């Protein structure tokens, strides 16, 4: 890495005139191609700089992130002025490789991206915070496991991105929340209070982007693209709001519990929502999926828009309530009932197949 280096110096003593500087280093990983600079005159109490005449350095590519490298700034001026200043250069590459256990509270900051080279495990009682705008690339076949808390809160302008580092299309495994992970908590009005959260997070190119056991983060304004499975909810009851799911085999797989899936979109999936349980599925849009909903249990399926499914739109077993939905132009049936006694009312069902 080659760069220019300039110093700002404040004179807190007598006038310094015609200051010339030499930069040197005892570290073989530092190559100084231009080690001479002119600071001119610096009056007492004033700042001087070599910004117009910077030093030129090259740091070896083998230098690890956060390494301190020693350099010496030697100053000479009129009247016998002479001063040597020891300086440490702290290396902060744009990519930080991460792996292993995180055993104390840690923040991944937006001034760099992160490359997961082997499994990353957030230990119980520990919080990993990821700032908005951070990109996390995960090596093929590797995963992140949350035994503690993950706070990943991006913004619409600066989302957090999880993707594969593979250049040949190989998938990373998963962002996995175990039974010891700290679930999201909410007040009586449903407002998020704390615990794990994925907000304005984009997850791409994974086997299963998010794997849950019995504890779930709050998933809000998230985007899942080109994953084999977007979310395997385990036995948890996640709250999923205003999120998008596109271009994969499975959107959300439920394994019991009472998930809340609202105001989200599902497009170009083989099956958008499937499994078992008693979820609330409300005010979502399903477009061009092979199947939109295939569930066993007592779901509430309300106020959804289901358009242009390539097969049967809704398949149910159990006693779900299917109300106030719009189901149009499915290649297969609008609603297929396997067993049970569903309650079906106030739906708009138009121009579907058999």
């Amino acid at each position: 890495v080659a760069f220019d280096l300039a110093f700002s110096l404040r004179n807190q003593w007598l006038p310094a005139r015609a200051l010339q500087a030499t930069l040197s280093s005892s570290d073989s990983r530092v190559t100084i191609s231009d080690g001479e600079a002119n600071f001119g005159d610096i009056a007492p109490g004033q700042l001087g700089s070599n910004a117009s005449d910077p030093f030129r350095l090259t740091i070896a590519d083998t230098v690890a992130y956060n390494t301190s490298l020693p350099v010496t700034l030697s100053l000479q001026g009129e009247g016998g002025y002479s001063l040597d200043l020891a300086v440490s250069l702290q290396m902060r590459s744009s990519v930080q490789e991460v792996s292993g256990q995180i055993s104390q509270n840690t923040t991944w900051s937006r001034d760099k991206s992160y490359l997961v080279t082997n499994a990353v495990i957030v230990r119980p009682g520990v919080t990993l915070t990821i700032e908005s705008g951070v990109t996390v690339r995960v090596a093929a076949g590797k995963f992140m496991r949350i035994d503690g808390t993950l706070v990943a809160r991006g913004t619409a302008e600066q989302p957090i991105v999880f993707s594969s580092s593979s250049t040949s299309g190989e998938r990373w495994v998963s962002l996995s929340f175990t039974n010891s992970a700290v679930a999201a908590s909410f007040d009586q009005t449903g407002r998020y209070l704390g615990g794990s959260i994925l907000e304005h997070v984009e997850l791409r190119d994974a086997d299963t982007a998010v794997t849950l056991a019995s504890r779930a983060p709050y998933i809000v304004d998230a985007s899942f693209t080109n994953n084999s499975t977007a979310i395997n909810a385990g036995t948890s009851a996640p709250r999923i709001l205003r999120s998008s799911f596109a271009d994969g085999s499975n959107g959300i797989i439920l394994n019991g519990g009472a998930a809340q899936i609202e105001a989200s979109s599902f497009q170009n999936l083989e099956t958008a929502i499937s499994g078992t349980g008693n979820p609330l599925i409300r005010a979502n849009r399903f477009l061009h999926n092979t199947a939109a909903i295939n569930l066993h249990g007592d779901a509430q399926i309300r106020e959804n828009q289901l358009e242009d499914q390539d097969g049967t739109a809704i398949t149910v077993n159990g006693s779900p309530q299917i109300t106030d939905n719009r189901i149009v132009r499915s290649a297969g049936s609008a609603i297929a009932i396997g067993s049970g006694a569903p309650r079906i009312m106030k739906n708009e069902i138009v121009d579907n197949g058999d």
Side-chain angles (χ1 to χ4, degrees), residues 14 44 150 156 203 331:
L14 297 173
L150 175 63
L203 298 106

Side-chain angles (χ1 to χ4, degrees), residues 1-343:
V1 178
F3 58 93
D4 291 336
L5 178 64
F7 292 90
S8 291
L9 304 176
R10 183 179 294 278
N11 184 3
Q12 295 183 325
W13 193 235
L14 297 173
R17 298 185 177 89
L19 283 182
Q20 299 293 319
T22 301
L23 190 69
S24 61
S25 178
S26 60
D27 197 305
S28 62
R29 295 170 295 178
V30 180
T31 300
I32 302 174
S33 55
D34 183 355
E36 304 294 328
N38 177 24
F39 281 82
D41 298 339
I42 307 177
Q46 300 300 306
L47 285 172
S49 173
N50 67 316
S52 61
D53 184 21
F55 301 108
R56 184 68 175 171
L57 292 78
T58 300
I59 306 299
D61 292 338
T62 56
V63 175
Y65 176 83
N66 227 23
T67 299
S68 291
L69 298 173
V71 297
T72 300
L73 180 66
S74 299
L75 299 167
Q76 296 83 34
E78 290 182 357
Y81 185 96
S82 179
L83 178 66
D84 289 340
L85 298 174
V87 180
S88 291
L89 303 179
Q90 192 102 16
M91 299 310 298
R92 295 291 183 92
S93 67
S94 60
V95 178
Q96 181 177 349
E97 294 185 0
V98 289
S99 64
Q101 298 193 17
I102 297 177
S103 55
Q104 61 184 6
N105 291 344
T106 299
T107 297
W108 288 1
S109 56
R110 68 176 62 90
D111 60 345
K112 64 182 85 64
S113 62
Y114 295 82
L115 176 61
V116 176
T117 58
N118 212 329
V120 168
I121 299 172
V122 179
R123 300 295 297 154
V126 173
T127 298
L128 171 61
T129 300
I130 303 179
E131 293 183 344
S132 62
V134 167
T135 294
V136 180
R137 294 184 298 126
V138 186
K142 306 306 179 184
F143 62 88
M144 292 181 60
R145 192 180 86 197
I146 311 302
D147 297 338
T149 304
L150 175 63
V151 176
R153 305 192 76 173
T155 65
E157 296 77 20
Q158 291 188 309
I160 296 165
V161 177
F162 288 84
S163 66
S164 174
S165 66
S166 171
T167 59
S168 57
E170 295 177 282
R171 296 185 181 277
W172 59 289
V173 177
S174 189
L175 181 59
S176 178
F177 293 79
T178 67
N179 287 322
S180 67
V182 178
S185 61
F186 304 86
D187 66 15
Q188 292 182 343
T189 67
R191 183 171 63 91
Y192 167 77
L193 294 177
S196 296
I197 183 171
L198 300 174
E199 181 177 12
H200 286 294
V201 172
E202 299 178 3
L203 298 106
R204 309 169 183 161
D205 307 318
D207 286 332
T208 302
V210 174
T211 301
L212 308 177
S214 60
R215 309 289 183 89
Y218 182 30
I219 300 173
V220 57
D221 294 311
S223 171
F224 296 80
T225 307
N226 193 38
N227 303 290
S228 293
T229 297
I231 300 174
N232 188 324
T235 58
S236 70
R239 295 191 185 189
I240 301 168
L241 178 66
R242 295 191 307 271
S243 295
S244 64
F245 301 79
D247 303 327
S249 296
N250 300 293
I252 301 172
I253 299 176
L254 303 173
N255 295 283
Q260 298 180 32
I261 306 167
E262 301 182 83
S264 296
S265 65
F266 300 81
Q267 185 170 352
N268 297 330
L269 300 164
E270 291 183 16
T271 306
I273 301 175
S274 63
T276 64
N278 307 314
L280 169 64
I281 302 172
R282 187 180 73 85
N284 303 287
R285 188 180 186 213
F286 300 84
L287 180 66
H288 289 303
N289 305 288
T290 302
I293 299 171
N294 189 337
L295 287 174
H296 294 248
D298 300 336
Q300 297 183 56
I301 303 172
R302 299 170 14 207
E303 303 166 30
N304 300 284
Q305 302 284 327
L306 300 95
E307 304 171 8
D308 300 297
Q309 310 311 309
D310 298 328
T312 297
I314 300 175
T315 300
V316 291
N317 292 269
S319 302
Q321 297 183 31
I322 305 174
T323 60
D324 297 302
N325 302 284
R326 182 173 184 265
I327 309 172
V328 299
R329 297 184 302 277
S330 300
S333 301
I335 302 173
I337 302 169
S339 62
R343 183 179 181 184

